[in-house]
Amino acid sequence: MSKKVSVLFVCLGNICRSPTAHGIFRHLVREEGLESLIEIDSAGTAAFHIGKSPDSRSILVAKERGIDMSDLRARQVDLGDFYQYDYVLAMDEANFYHLKEVALPEHDGKIKMFLEYTDAFSETEVPDPYYGGAQGFDHVFDLVESASKGLLEHIKQEHL
Ligand code: 4NP
């Protein structure tokens, strides 16, 4: 069988936004029975939170919406990721430019802004909710859920 289509979600700490994307997208992929065809992971550009569970506020918002992401653990992006993953999706511009800077030119086309996969919101970035209130985590979930649905449709059309 050919290689799975692979997706890596990237934010700064890998404890709020990218694990939320990982958890939501994994849930959608499972709902459609596509686990054997799509590989999913998430990572942070920074090393601060390596090995940690997602932020409890992210876990709670996801749980309220029927998604369990408590099993995920933070890791940092490494150069091997650019070989392994077909889609390397940045939550914000800082993450995007960081990835562009460390990747080889041949991998440049894999790096995209995640919100390119939704047109339901005017924002182009998923805002960092870490230092804000609970409302920020709800908004992250809404943005990420919408882009996750768009990404799955895109992958189904392009690859499956
Ligand atoms: P994330 O959020 O990039 O969505 O995981 C953050 C988590 C931690 C920090 C910043 C953003 N921090 O500065 O520790």
Side-chain angles (χ1 to χ4, degrees):
M1 207 183 96
S2 62
K3 181 184 167 290
K4 288 182 179 184
V5 181
S6 53
V7 178
L8 180 69
F9 298 106
V10 180
C11 62
L12 177 63
N14 192 212
I15 56 167
C16 301
R17 293 164 293 174
S18 62
T20 299
H22 186 159
I24 293 175
F25 192 65
R26 177 175 69 175
H27 179 82
L28 296 175
V29 165
R30 283 178 181 161
E31 269 187 343
E32 300 215 17
L34 297 172
E35 307 93 296
S36 64
L37 302 178
I38 303 177
E39 182 183 335
I40 309 160
D41 201 4
S42 61
T45 57
F48 326 126
H49 297 289
I50 292 172
K52 289 193 195 158
S53 300
D55 189 287
S56 56
R57 297 164 293 178
S58 298
I59 291 178
L60 183 63
V61 167
K63 194 174 166 202
E64 283 168 357
R65 314 263 200 121
I67 290 170
D68 180 13
M69 54 185 255
S70 59
D71 59 303
L72 302 178
R73 295 295 176 268
R75 73 170 180 88
Q76 191 173 23
V77 175
D78 69 63
L79 290 179
D81 289 326
F82 297 106
Y83 292 90
Q84 179 162 357
Y85 290 91
D86 301 313
Y87 291 83
V88 179
L89 302 176
M91 296 295 137
D92 67 25
E93 284 188 2
N95 313 145
F96 179 80
Y97 290 116
H98 176 104
L99 292 168
K100 290 271 187 188
E101 210 168 288
V102 296
L104 295 172
E106 71 208 62
H107 295 140
D108 206 59
K110 298 179 169 194
I111 304 166
K112 298 199 164 66
M113 291 290 285
F114 181 41
L115 292 189
E116 280 183 25
Y117 295 96
T118 177
D119 49 23
F121 295 87
S122 58
E123 288 112 305
T124 56
E125 303 181 275
V126 183
D128 180 351
Y130 190 66
Y131 292 106
Q135 207 185 329
F137 286 83
D138 279 319
H139 187 51
V140 164
F141 190 98
D142 292 337
L143 291 168
V144 165
E145 180 182 46
S146 183
S148 295
K149 288 177 179 168
L151 175 64
L152 185 53
E153 282 313 304
H154 168 85
I155 288 177
K156 282 162 67 179
Q157 275 180 16
E158 293 289 315
H159 304 277
L160 307 182

